[in-house]
Amino acid sequence: MTAALRVALAGLGTVGGGVIRVLQQNRELITRRAGRPIEIVAVSARDRSKDRGVDISGFEWVDDTSALAACDADVVVELVGGADGPALALARATLAAGKGFVTANKAMLAHHGLELANAAEGAKVPLKFEAAVAGGIPVIKGLREGAAANAIDRVYGILNGTCNFILSKMEAEGRDFADVLAEAQALGYAESDPSFDIDGVDAAHKLSILSSVAFGMKPAFGDVAVSGIRDVIAADIAEAAALGYRVRLVGVAEAGASGLFQRVHAHLVPTHHPLAHVTGSTNAVVVDGNYVGRLLFQGAGAGDGPTASAVVADLIDIARGEFGPAYAMPVASLAEASPAPTGERRGRAYLRFTLADRVGVLAEIAAAMRDAGVSIESLIQRAAPEDGTALVVIVTHEAPESHVEAALERLRGSQSLAGEPFWMHILD
Ligand SMILES: NC(=O)c1ccc[n+]([C@@H]2O[C@H](COP(=O)([O-])OP(=O)(O)OC[C@H]3O[C@@H](n4cnc5c(N)ncnc54)[C@H](O)[C@@H]3O)[C@@H](O)[C@H]2O)c1
Ligand SMILES: N[C@@H](CCO)C(=O)O
Ligand code: NA
């Protein structure tokens, strides 16, 4: 049998522990598939003595994480996290040492992916990151390989398990945001800083990676328009349901006439759309290709087992000698990012207002919409007798987003509003 692929593993938390378990428990199967054994030879984490429920006594322990790059391994797996710091130092040192690098670290890839892809190409070694986008779902592989013959028009989906878990729990159980977040953290889905999840940043990291693979463009995290789910209230979920929608955090990248739109926002998803039925920490990605048509990738987007499954799949590819350029084409072939102004995009919108109890308030809102050129498709008004306010929810006809924003701008500071208006895109 060919010599084992020797792996150095940095980070022994949720995902790192999962990788050790998968490699131990599926050892025989993995060896047969890879054509040779995949063996962890060295590990590093913050605390050597911590009980992780996995036996690490057979591996060399390395205190300084970045020193793993110099140990006797063919590939380094980074499961520490963080865009910079020890993860980035390890990535740079590993690729400079001419070794392959596997990571689940979407934050680092969003900020430094191009540099790392360049370094990997220069050293002719693999840089692989299936686990970084949509956890266990083989969406990077699906795009890089399965859909490689297609021009991609649009790629979009549910890319953050924590937000989807929170939104679907709020929907099913009418629970509050904060205690559902605590549950997602306890289950190991949330980032170490959960604001990355709930403010949409984690999904934006992933979307920028997906866009590069799908559209052959240099990753441009800064071009992604981002907001999260903090401002979504139980009433939005209830009113959306009454109108035939569910609320989901959706990342969308689509080629427009003037460039690429990339955005992560809470969306209203029609109940007939497959994304409306994605619940819990499940992720789903839809790819529209010009020959294959619509592809739907769905599965576990977070958690130890699914994420480790993706990491080990990358290792199996490397053990087989199957790897190509990180972003589906050599870095020199990647186009410069060309962001399209988001305001130009046309779509339907959901707007929620809390109105003071005054004569003519509805007329004022209707006038602002008319003056901005936004036509109303439906309107619901519900009185809140306890404080005299009224909740008004509007669904618009299709209009440029800049017009919706202009309507809200016209209402800014109005005495008719008892709170900040809130709006969401409607997925088409
Ligand atoms: N948890 C998931 O479901 C999931 C899914 C996909 C991707 N990821 C990504 O995988 C990576 C790891 O996530 P996780 O959930 O396993 O995190 P975790 O917090 O459970 O584990 C992190 C590990 O890194 C070690 N570590 C942290 N800082 C360190 C430092 N300065 N020096 C050395 N070691 C350090 C910790 O000791 C721990 O062993 C992150 O990039 C995360 O975004 C996680
Ligand atoms: N915090 C991330 C982990 C998976 O990348 C999520 O909730 O989706
Ligand atoms: Na994946």
Side-chain angles (χ1 to χ4, degrees), residues 106 131-132 135 159-163 189-191 197 202 206 283 301-302 307:
K106 52 271 166 150
L159 297 170
N160 185 268
T162 303
C163 283
Y189 303 148
E191 296 303 299
D197 295 295
D202 176 75
K206 293 165 177 165
N283 283 190
T307 312

Side-chain angles (χ1 to χ4, degrees), residues 11-16 45-46 65 79-81 86 104-106 131 188 191 301-303 307:
L12 298 173
T14 303
V15 188
R46 247 194 315 234
T65 298
L79 301 169
V80 170
N105 188 337
K106 52 271 166 150
E191 296 303 299
T307 312

Side-chain angles (χ1 to χ4, degrees), residues 130-131 133-139 310:
E130 181 60 78
V133 181
I137 306 173
V139 65

Side-chain angles (χ1 to χ4, degrees), residues 55-132:
D55 181 10
I56 58 166
S57 61
F59 313 136
E60 179 191 350
W61 176 269
V62 177
D63 276 326
D64 172 9
T65 298
S66 61
L68 277 182
C71 78
D72 186 23
D74 307 304
V75 182
V76 172
V77 175
E78 181 276 311
L79 301 169
V80 170
D84 301 287
L88 183 61
L90 179 60
R92 285 175 172 157
T94 301
L95 297 170
K99 294 176 181 172
F101 191 74
V102 174
T103 182
N105 188 337
K106 52 271 166 150
M108 178 174 71
L109 290 165
H111 290 281
H112 305 289
L114 194 64
E115 174 204 321
L116 299 180
N118 241 324
E121 241 172 79
K124 298 188 172 50
V125 294
L127 167 65
K128 295 191 66 78
F129 43 77
E130 181 60 78

